[in-house]
PDB file of all heavy atoms in Angstrom:
ATOM      1  N   ALA A1646      28.431   5.619  67.318  1.00  0.00           N
ATOM      2  CA  ALA A1646      29.118   4.886  66.242  1.00  0.00           C
ATOM      3  C   ALA A1646      28.786   5.464  64.875  1.00  0.00           C
ATOM      4  O   ALA A1646      29.690   5.685  64.040  1.00  0.00           O
ATOM      5  CB  ALA A1646      28.743   3.412  66.310  1.00  0.00           C
ATOM      6  N   GLU A1647      27.488   5.721  64.641  1.00  0.00           N
ATOM      7  CA  GLU A1647      27.110   6.304  63.346  1.00  0.00           C
ATOM      8  C   GLU A1647      27.689   7.709  63.202  1.00  0.00           C
ATOM      9  O   GLU A1647      28.071   8.111  62.092  1.00  0.00           O
ATOM     10  CB  GLU A1647      25.588   6.338  63.205  1.00  0.00           C
ATOM     11  CG  GLU A1647      25.123   6.839  61.850  1.00  0.00           C
ATOM     12  CD  GLU A1647      23.605   6.839  61.701  1.00  0.00           C
ATOM     13  OE1 GLU A1647      22.901   6.378  62.634  1.00  0.00           O
ATOM     14  OE2 GLU A1647      23.120   7.316  60.648  1.00  0.00           O
ATOM     15  N   ALA A1648      27.740   8.463  64.320  1.00  0.00           N
ATOM     16  CA  ALA A1648      28.279   9.827  64.270  1.00  0.00           C
ATOM     17  C   ALA A1648      29.738   9.818  63.836  1.00  0.00           C
ATOM     18  O   ALA A1648      30.172  10.660  63.034  1.00  0.00           O
ATOM     19  CB  ALA A1648      28.125  10.499  65.632  1.00  0.00           C
ATOM     20  N   LYS A1649      30.534   8.877  64.374  1.00  0.00           N
ATOM     21  CA  LYS A1649      31.939   8.805  63.984  1.00  0.00           C
ATOM     22  C   LYS A1649      32.085   8.497  62.486  1.00  0.00           C
ATOM     23  O   LYS A1649      32.982   9.032  61.812  1.00  0.00           O
ATOM     24  CB  LYS A1649      32.655   7.748  64.809  1.00  0.00           C
ATOM     25  CG  LYS A1649      32.825   8.125  66.278  1.00  0.00           C
ATOM     26  CD  LYS A1649      33.545   7.016  67.054  1.00  0.00           C
ATOM     27  CE  LYS A1649      33.750   7.417  68.520  1.00  0.00           C
ATOM     28  NZ  LYS A1649      34.424   6.351  69.305  1.00  0.00           N
ATOM     29  N   THR A1650      31.214   7.619  61.976  1.00  0.00           N
ATOM     30  CA  THR A1650      31.250   7.308  60.537  1.00  0.00           C
ATOM     31  C   THR A1650      30.937   8.546  59.711  1.00  0.00           C
ATOM     32  O   THR A1650      31.588   8.808  58.682  1.00  0.00           O
ATOM     33  CB  THR A1650      30.252   6.185  60.211  1.00  0.00           C
ATOM     34  OG1 THR A1650      30.586   5.017  60.977  1.00  0.00           O
ATOM     35  CG2 THR A1650      30.284   5.832  58.730  1.00  0.00           C
ATOM     36  N   LEU A1651      29.931   9.315  60.143  1.00  0.00           N
ATOM     37  CA  LEU A1651      29.553  10.525  59.407  1.00  0.00           C
ATOM     38  C   LEU A1651      30.678  11.556  59.420  1.00  0.00           C
ATOM     39  O   LEU A1651      30.905  12.246  58.418  1.00  0.00           O
ATOM     40  CB  LEU A1651      28.287  11.127  60.002  1.00  0.00           C
ATOM     41  CG  LEU A1651      26.992  10.344  59.746  1.00  0.00           C
ATOM     42  CD1 LEU A1651      25.834  10.945  60.549  1.00  0.00           C
ATOM     43  CD2 LEU A1651      26.647  10.322  58.269  1.00  0.00           C
ATOM     44  N   VAL A1652      31.366  11.686  60.562  1.00  0.00           N
ATOM     45  CA  VAL A1652      32.473  12.644  60.642  1.00  0.00           C
ATOM     46  C   VAL A1652      33.539  12.291  59.608  1.00  0.00           C
ATOM     47  O   VAL A1652      34.066  13.175  58.900  1.00  0.00           O
ATOM     48  CB  VAL A1652      33.065  12.669  62.065  1.00  0.00           C
ATOM     49  CG1 VAL A1652      34.382  13.456  62.076  1.00  0.00           C
ATOM     50  CG2 VAL A1652      32.086  13.293  63.055  1.00  0.00           C
ATOM     51  N   ALA A1653      33.872  11.026  59.505  1.00  0.00           N
ATOM     52  CA  ALA A1653      34.887  10.601  58.536  1.00  0.00           C
ATOM     53  C   ALA A1653      34.429  10.857  57.099  1.00  0.00           C
ATOM     54  O   ALA A1653      35.231  11.263  56.236  1.00  0.00           O
ATOM     55  CB  ALA A1653      35.204   9.136  58.747  1.00  0.00           C
ATOM     56  N   GLU A1654      33.150  10.597  56.819  1.00  0.00           N
ATOM     57  CA  GLU A1654      32.627  10.771  55.454  1.00  0.00           C
ATOM     58  C   GLU A1654      32.500  12.245  55.085  1.00  0.00           C
ATOM     59  O   GLU A1654      32.674  12.604  53.913  1.00  0.00           O
ATOM     60  CB  GLU A1654      31.271  10.081  55.312  1.00  0.00           C
ATOM     61  CG  GLU A1654      31.334   8.566  55.406  1.00  0.00           C
ATOM     62  CD  GLU A1654      29.952   7.929  55.374  1.00  0.00           C
ATOM     63  OE1 GLU A1654      28.960   8.697  55.449  1.00  0.00           O
ATOM     64  OE2 GLU A1654      29.861   6.697  55.286  1.00  0.00           O
ATOM     65  N   ASN A1655      32.165  13.098  56.048  1.00  0.00           N
ATOM     66  CA  ASN A1655      31.831  14.495  55.757  1.00  0.00           C
ATOM     67  C   ASN A1655      32.969  15.471  56.047  1.00  0.00           C
ATOM     68  O   ASN A1655      32.745  16.690  56.020  1.00  0.00           O
ATOM     69  CB  ASN A1655      30.606  14.930  56.560  1.00  0.00           C
ATOM     70  CG  ASN A1655      29.360  14.140  56.180  1.00  0.00           C
ATOM     71  OD1 ASN A1655      29.237  13.653  55.057  1.00  0.00           O
ATOM     72  ND2 ASN A1655      28.438  14.012  57.137  1.00  0.00           N
ATOM     73  N   MET A1656      34.152  14.995  56.319  1.00  0.00           N
ATOM     74  CA  MET A1656      35.231  15.887  56.708  1.00  0.00           C
ATOM     75  C   MET A1656      35.522  16.946  55.649  1.00  0.00           C
ATOM     76  O   MET A1656      35.814  18.111  55.966  1.00  0.00           O
ATOM     77  CB  MET A1656      36.486  15.086  57.021  1.00  0.00           C
ATOM     78  CG  MET A1656      37.613  15.944  57.610  1.00  0.00           C
ATOM     79  SD  MET A1656      37.116  16.900  59.077  1.00  0.00           S
ATOM     80  CE  MET A1656      36.797  15.570  60.249  1.00  0.00           C
ATOM     81  N   GLY A1657      35.430  16.588  54.395  1.00  0.00           N
ATOM     82  CA  GLY A1657      35.634  17.572  53.342  1.00  0.00           C
ATOM     83  C   GLY A1657      34.600  18.670  53.376  1.00  0.00           C
ATOM     84  O   GLY A1657      34.909  19.862  53.184  1.00  0.00           O
ATOM     85  N   VAL A1658      33.337  18.280  53.617  1.00  0.00           N
ATOM     86  CA  VAL A1658      32.253  19.259  53.709  1.00  0.00           C
ATOM     87  C   VAL A1658      32.468  20.162  54.921  1.00  0.00           C
ATOM     88  O   VAL A1658      32.263  21.398  54.866  1.00  0.00           O
ATOM     89  CB  VAL A1658      30.893  18.535  53.794  1.00  0.00           C
ATOM     90  CG1 VAL A1658      29.754  19.549  53.958  1.00  0.00           C
ATOM     91  CG2 VAL A1658      30.669  17.691  52.551  1.00  0.00           C
ATOM     92  N   TYR A1659      32.886  19.572  56.036  1.00  0.00           N
ATOM     93  CA  TYR A1659      33.106  20.362  57.249  1.00  0.00           C
ATOM     94  C   TYR A1659      34.206  21.403  57.018  1.00  0.00           C
ATOM     95  O   TYR A1659      34.097  22.560  57.467  1.00  0.00           O
ATOM     96  CB  TYR A1659      33.483  19.454  58.411  1.00  0.00           C
ATOM     97  CG  TYR A1659      32.380  18.492  58.843  1.00  0.00           C
ATOM     98  CD1 TYR A1659      32.657  17.411  59.690  1.00  0.00           C
ATOM     99  CD2 TYR A1659      31.066  18.649  58.417  1.00  0.00           C
ATOM    100  CE1 TYR A1659      31.664  16.548  60.102  1.00  0.00           C
ATOM    101  CE2 TYR A1659      30.067  17.783  58.810  1.00  0.00           C
ATOM    102  CZ  TYR A1659      30.377  16.728  59.655  1.00  0.00           C
ATOM    103  OH  TYR A1659      29.390  15.867  60.056  1.00  0.00           O
ATOM    104  N   ASN A1660      35.255  21.040  56.336  1.00  0.00           N
ATOM    105  CA  ASN A1660      36.338  21.984  56.063  1.00  0.00           C
ATOM    106  C   ASN A1660      35.871  23.117  55.137  1.00  0.00           C
ATOM    107  O   ASN A1660      36.328  24.265  55.249  1.00  0.00           O
ATOM    108  CB  ASN A1660      37.541  21.280  55.446  1.00  0.00           C
ATOM    109  CG  ASN A1660      38.328  20.469  56.464  1.00  0.00           C
ATOM    110  OD1 ASN A1660      38.485  20.884  57.622  1.00  0.00           O
ATOM    111  ND2 ASN A1660      38.826  19.310  56.042  1.00  0.00           N
ATOM    112  N   ASP A1661      34.962  22.792  54.199  1.00  0.00           N
ATOM    113  CA  ASP A1661      34.415  23.836  53.338  1.00  0.00           C
ATOM    114  C   ASP A1661      33.619  24.855  54.150  1.00  0.00           C
ATOM    115  O   ASP A1661      33.730  26.083  53.931  1.00  0.00           O
ATOM    116  CB  ASP A1661      33.515  23.227  52.255  1.00  0.00           C
ATOM    117  CG  ASP A1661      34.299  22.444  51.210  1.00  0.00           C
ATOM    118  OD1 ASP A1661      35.526  22.669  51.107  1.00  0.00           O
ATOM    119  OD2 ASP A1661      33.688  21.598  50.513  1.00  0.00           O
TER     120      ASP A1661
END
Side-chain angles (χ1 to χ4, degrees):
E1647 184 179 356
K1649 290 180 178 179
T1650 301
L1651 289 172
V1652 169
E1654 293 175 351
N1655 297 333
M1656 187 54 66
V1658 177
Y1659 295 166
N1660 285 322
D1661 290 341

